[in-house]
Amino acid sequence: MLNTGLLDRAIAIIDGVKYKAINYHPKKYVRPDRLINPTAKAWVGLESILSDIIEFSKIETKSALEFGVEYGYSTAAIANYFDSVVGVDTFTGDPHAGYHGNILEKTRNNLMGFPNIKLVKSDYKDYILENTDRFDLVHVDIIHTYEDTFQCGLWAAQHSTVTLFHDTQSYKEVKQAVSDIAKKQPRNFTTIENSMGLGFYFEV
Ligand SMILES: C[S@@+](CC[C@H](N)C(=O)[O-])C[C@H]1O[C@@H](n2cnc3c(N)ncnc32)[C@H](O)[C@@H]1O
């Protein structure tokens, strides 16, 4: 049986060939000062590589946008580093995250301590329609179909310096969509193997 280290290296080599992904290993892990209790575990661990990603990619930290807020764990983590964060979600769930009814008020409550976060209840399709805003960082963590990740992710890549995609390891549709976005608009793409994978798509 393969051990995990060997398996990770094998995945990295395959990704390099199949998805033209480059290698990136965080140099440091910094836990942000202010977090909320995680309702799901999928993003836990990733909050500690945000500061390394910001330093590595040398982006400004004025504005961030997140598609897929749910209860706000990743939004809160991002809000530790950016002056303003917009969080877009239908707040009704999806087949992968589950359906929990309308959770906007619950999430608003969870994020009460973050005055720099603005929540927008919207489908990403309506939000991006004729929207020309630019952001230093966009995080895409919506329904994990190829079509939605590609459509939302392409807009995100065209309107941000760094674009993060969650679940690049656990959903091959997400990884394929990111790889196709990178072909359409060539930039570097790497995936990080912990916490279901965080695809990291950036300019050099
Ligand atoms: C996996 S959860 C996000 C988790 C969150 N990023 C975290 O780690 O704390 C996915 C969210 O995407 C939202 N979503 C799914 N499809 C969407 C769409 N088309 N437009 C906007 N939000 C969507 C769902 O309502 C759900 O809350």
Side-chain angles (χ1 to χ4, degrees):
M1 206 168 84
L2 283 172
N3 70 35
T4 329
L6 210 56
L7 189 62
D8 282 352
R9 252 178 286 148
I11 289 172
I13 292 167
I14 293 166
D15 282 354
V17 177
K18 192 168 170 197
Y19 301 102
K20 301 216 179 332
I22 65 146
N23 268 322
Y24 158 79
H25 299 286
K27 285 201 181 66
K28 57 173 191 176
Y29 294 82
V30 180
R31 197 174 148 77
D33 291 339
R34 294 176 312 133
L35 291 168
I36 62 169
N37 285 329
T39 307
K41 294 272 172 274
W43 231 80
V44 175
L46 293 173
E47 70 289 319
S48 299
I49 55 175
L50 281 173
S51 76
D52 193 73
I53 288 175
I54 290 166
E55 272 180 36
F56 178 85
S57 54
K58 300 185 179 69
I59 54 171
E60 290 196 63
T61 52
K62 289 197 175 76
S63 59
L65 167 67
E66 176 170 74
F67 291 110
V69 174
E70 202 177 37
Y71 292 105
Y73 185 78
S74 53
T75 329
I78 292 167
N80 277 261
Y81 298 104
F82 291 84
D83 298 343
S84 87
V85 179
V86 178
V88 175
D89 199 305
T90 56
F91 293 104
T92 53
D94 64 57
H96 302 132
Y99 294 103
H100 318 286
N102 184 350
I103 58 166
L104 175 62
E105 281 317 309
K106 166 115 187 69
T107 303
R108 239 191 242 299
N109 219 35
N110 290 347
L111 297 173
M112 224 161 47
F114 295 85
N116 56 333
I117 296 176
K118 179 183 161 208
L119 296 180
V120 178
K121 182 169 168 52
S122 169
D123 193 292
Y124 80 85
K125 289 181 186 139
D126 300 321
Y127 184 82
I128 64 177
L129 213 65
E130 294 176 23
N131 188 331
T132 56
D133 292 348
R134 273 202 68 84
F135 298 86
D136 298 313
L137 178 140
V138 177
H139 174 227
V140 178
D141 190 13
I142 52 165
I143 184 172
H144 296 316
T145 59
Y146 175 87
E147 290 73 19
D148 287 300
T149 306
F150 185 82
Q151 194 183 338
C152 182
L154 184 60
W155 183 92
Q158 288 165 342
H159 293 82
S160 65
T161 315
V162 164
T163 319
L164 304 180
F165 294 84
H166 190 227
D167 281 327
T168 49
Q169 295 302 342
S170 42
Y171 286 84
K172 64 178 188 328
E173 295 83 353
V174 172
K175 200 192 276 187
Q176 189 61 55
V178 182
S179 169
D180 290 348
I181 291 166
K183 276 184 216 140
K184 222 173 154 65
Q185 206 181 328
R187 267 151 75 175
N188 284 312
F189 163 53
T190 183
T191 69
I192 300 154
E193 268 83 37
N194 68 338
S195 292
M196 318 292 181
L198 187 72
F200 167 25
Y201 175 71
F202 60 102
E203 288 176 49
V204 274

